[in-house]
Structures are given as structure tokens and as C-alpha cells.
């Protein structure tokens, strides 16, 4: 039977797993030198922002939160298990490596940020900076 190979391809055999991987990379894209960024939601709760990041499969110890120059960086690193008792893989989709995202926190009280990690979701509560109104005063004319 004839194989359906797109025009311009040089492979001689069809690999559905390779094709699915290429389709996923084309659709979702990647950044950070090939590292896929994790997904986040940012919610305005009025006096604070709530950031929720999907980091399934990570241990709390593998996640780092750094703030420098009004930039919050969330990074997570997954290590390869070198356990000899693992079965021979036919396909392995869970990769090791590092993932990170950065966010502008110039309008946030950095000292008031709190974080929790539960069921693969990292939640950050980030209170907004209180806008201070300059004090007004009347000057006397001399």
C-alpha cells in the first residue's frame, strides 16, 4: 500500500509518533531554547493578583521562586530517575529538564507574596501596591 508522505519530505517510512510530536511542537510552540513553558492563569481579586501555574509531577523542592529587579521568575527542574528497575520503554513522553517563566511584578508588594503548591498547581497570592496620594498643603504668600 502507498504511504502518505507530504511533498518535500525525505523519510522513507511513516512514523505516526514522530508526526504527532512535530504537530504538537508546531501547534503549541516552544520557547526558552526549546523548553516548553508551563501554563498559568492570572486573576485580579481586587486588592491582589492570584497566579496559578500548572506544574504537575514536580516536587515542591524542585520549584524555585525568585524576584529580582521587579521580575518574578518561576522555575522548575525535573531530574531523570536513574533507577535500574524501570521497564524498557517503548515510548517515553515525560522528559526531564528545566522550565521557567518570568512575570513583571512592578505593581506588586513583593514582601507580601505568598505561595502554596497543591495537586500540581502552584498558587501565588500577590498583593497590589497601595497607591499613595501626595499630601497637599496650602502655601502662604509672603
Amino acid at each position: 500500500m502507498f504511504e502518505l508522505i507530504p511533498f518535500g519530505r525525505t523519510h522513507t517510512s511513516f512514523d505516526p509518533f514522530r508526526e504527532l510530536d512535530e504537530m504538537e511542537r508546531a501547534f503549541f510552540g516552544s520557547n526558552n531554547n526549546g523548553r516548553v513553558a508551563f501554563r498559568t492563569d492570572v486573576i485580579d481579586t481586587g486588592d491582589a493578583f492570584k497566579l496559578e501555574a500548572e506544574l504537575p509531577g514536580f516536587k515542591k523542592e524542585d520549584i524555585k521562586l525568585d524576584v529580582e529587579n521587579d521580575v518574578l521568575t518561576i522555575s522548575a527542574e525535573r531530574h531523570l530517575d536513574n533507577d535500574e528497575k524501570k521497564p524498557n520503554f517503548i515510548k517515553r513522553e515525560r522528559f526531564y529538564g528545566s522550565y521557567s517563566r518570568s512575570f513583571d511584578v512592578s505593581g506588586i508588594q513583593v514582601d507580601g507574596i505568598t505561595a502554596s503548591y497543591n495537586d500540581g498547581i502552584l498558587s501565588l497570592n500577590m498583593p497590589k501596591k497601595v497607591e499613595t496620594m501626595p499630601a497637599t498643603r496650602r502655601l502662604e504668600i509672603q
Side-chain angles (χ1 to χ4, degrees):
M1 190 82 186
F2 296 106
E3 291 184 357
L4 297 175
I5 299 175
F7 181 75
R9 298 282 174 111
T10 58
H11 359 128
T12 58
S13 64
F14 176 71
D15 181 4
F17 293 114
R18 183 182 58 234
E19 296 296 326
L20 287 172
D21 287 340
E22 288 177 10
M23 183 178 69
E24 181 181 8
R25 277 193 294 278
F27 184 76
F28 292 110
S30 64
N31 62 7
N32 297 332
N33 297 324
R35 295 176 291 183
V36 177
F38 46 87
R39 291 174 175 83
T40 61
D41 293 331
V42 180
I43 304 159
D44 187 351
T45 62
D47 58 345
F49 292 105
K50 182 177 182 178
L51 185 142
E52 294 180 339
E54 289 182 348
L55 294 167
F58 285 96
K59 297 177 185 173
K60 183 169 65 169
E61 299 81 31
D62 295 336
I63 301 171
K64 294 183 178 99
L65 304 172
D66 298 309
V67 178
E68 184 177 346
N69 297 329
D70 288 335
V71 175
L72 167 70
T73 301
I74 302 171
S75 57
E77 187 170 359
R78 181 174 291 140
H79 302 282
L80 178 65
D81 294 332
N82 290 329
D83 189 2
E84 295 297 324
K85 298 177 185 175
K86 299 262 183 189
N88 293 332
F89 290 101
I90 295 182
K91 176 135 176 89
R92 185 168 190 172
E93 294 182 342
R94 299 184 309 158
F95 297 104
Y96 65 94
S98 60
Y99 309 88
S100 68
R101 288 230 12 216
S102 297
F103 301 91
D104 177 20
V105 291
S106 57
I108 303 296
Q109 286 181 335
V110 176
D111 297 338
I113 296 176
T114 58
S116 63
Y117 183 67
N118 191 19
D119 294 334
I121 303 293
L122 175 69
S123 296
L124 278 75
N125 187 31
M126 303 181 298
K128 295 179 183 178
K129 283 185 180 176
V130 178
E131 295 182 26
T132 57
M133 298 297 287
T136 59
R137 64 177 209 180
R138 183 166 289 177
L139 301 173
E140 290 186 33
I141 302 172
Q142 297 181 4

